[in-house]
Amino acid sequence: MLLMILGLSFTGARQMQSAGNRPLHLVPNYLLTIGYEWALAAFAWWGIRLRSVPARQLIGRWQAAARGWFTDAGAAFAFWVVALTLLSTLAQLLQRVFGSHLDPRKISDVTQKLAPTTGTEMVLFLVLSVSAGICEEFVFRGYFQQQFSRMGRNVWVGVALAAVVFGSAHAYEGISGVLLIVAYGAMFGVLTLLRGGLRTGMFAHAWHDAVSGVALVLLRHYGARFGAK
């Protein structure tokens, strides 16, 4: 979701400058962000290729998808449920220490700018979610985590530093928000190690972003109703 938000925020800001306060038309923003995601993934792939590491080795072989207790999709869903449970507990602890990091005005602003409103926008948002799942896992866990692991000569150094990079762009959410995202990134890093590849994390990441899109739609629809009361 990180690269997705950065891309949509950039294209949305440019459109707001040219369109004043008119509602954003999200189709071109979604298309540009999909291209932005894949361009960054291609750049990461080029960096990985310089070290002669096959992308298939990082992602994992499809023939291994049925090994273990779960398929990749099942393992991804289980990971997502467990991760959200742990993050919810961590969020409550952080709220007691730092206070709430949720700003209703920011939530409303993000909802209005990013939430799909038409069938076409919803379809493109789902395509974008899949792209984000594939590309962001490839960039952060496939590229950064591998590079940091080599530099630190320890896989856990790679997991930790990649998670910090993953969360650092969310400084606007306050320290508790950044810590939550760093923790989520670390969970994805551990998942990559446990599953021996990126594929399960890609499923989980894409699922998370798709569900987030549905949540944005609900917030936009019902939030407006509650605000009117």
Side-chain angles (χ1 to χ4, degrees):
M1 188 62 118
L2 171 60
L3 298 181
M4 180 192 296
I5 290 177
L6 289 176
L8 285 173
S9 297
F10 174 73
T11 54
R14 293 188 64 182
Q15 189 169 341
M16 284 290 286
Q17 290 175 355
S18 61
N21 293 321
R22 289 180 296 169
L24 294 176
H25 185 52
L26 292 175
V27 169
N29 291 346
Y30 289 159
L31 292 174
L32 285 171
T33 305
I34 290 170
Y36 166 73
E37 295 263 3
W38 283 101
L40 287 178
F43 184 75
W45 175 83
W46 175 73
I48 291 170
R49 289 291 295 173
L50 291 179
R51 290 188 172 274
S52 301
V53 178
R56 182 182 296 179
Q57 178 180 326
L58 290 176
I59 297 173
R61 296 180 181 275
W62 286 105
Q63 293 88 335
R67 292 180 183 175
W69 290 97
F70 301 103
T71 63
D72 284 306
F77 181 76
F79 163 81
W80 183 71
V81 172
V82 171
L84 289 189
T85 301
L86 293 176
L87 289 173
S88 176
T89 302
L90 178 59
Q92 293 177 15
L93 293 174
L94 291 172
Q95 183 174 351
R96 293 180 181 179
V97 177
F98 299 107
S100 177
H101 69 281
L102 298 177
D103 185 339
R105 291 172 299 179
K106 290 182 180 179
I107 293 175
S108 176
D109 185 55
V110 170
T111 299
Q112 294 300 318
K113 287 183 178 179
L114 305 187
T117 57
T118 66
T120 299
E121 289 177 356
M122 192 68 226
V123 170
L124 283 176
F125 190 92
L126 293 177
V127 172
L128 179 54
S129 297
V130 174
S131 295
I134 295 172
C135 297
E136 293 185 23
E137 287 308 301
F138 195 81
V139 170
F140 288 101
R141 259 60 69 178
Y143 180 74
F144 282 119
Q145 184 165 307
Q146 299 298 319
Q147 291 292 88
F148 288 139
S149 295
R150 287 177 180 270
M151 292 168 58
R153 299 182 180 180
N154 187 293
V155 293
W156 298 111
V157 171
V159 170
L161 292 180
V164 170
V165 173
F166 188 64
S168 62
H170 292 77
Y172 62 88
E173 294 193 21
I175 187 170
S176 57
V178 170
L179 290 175
L180 282 174
I181 296 166
V182 169
Y184 201 26
M187 291 178 192
F188 273 105
V190 172
L191 178 67
T192 298
L193 296 179
L194 292 177
R195 298 293 292 179
L198 302 171
R199 193 171 58 246
T200 304
M202 289 176 173
F203 275 105
H205 199 141
W207 170 259
H208 173 84
D209 287 358
V211 171
S212 297
V214 175
L216 285 174
V217 172
L218 294 176
L219 278 172
R220 182 171 193 152
H221 181 69
Y222 292 104
R225 285 188 176 184
F226 293 145
K229 292 182 180 181

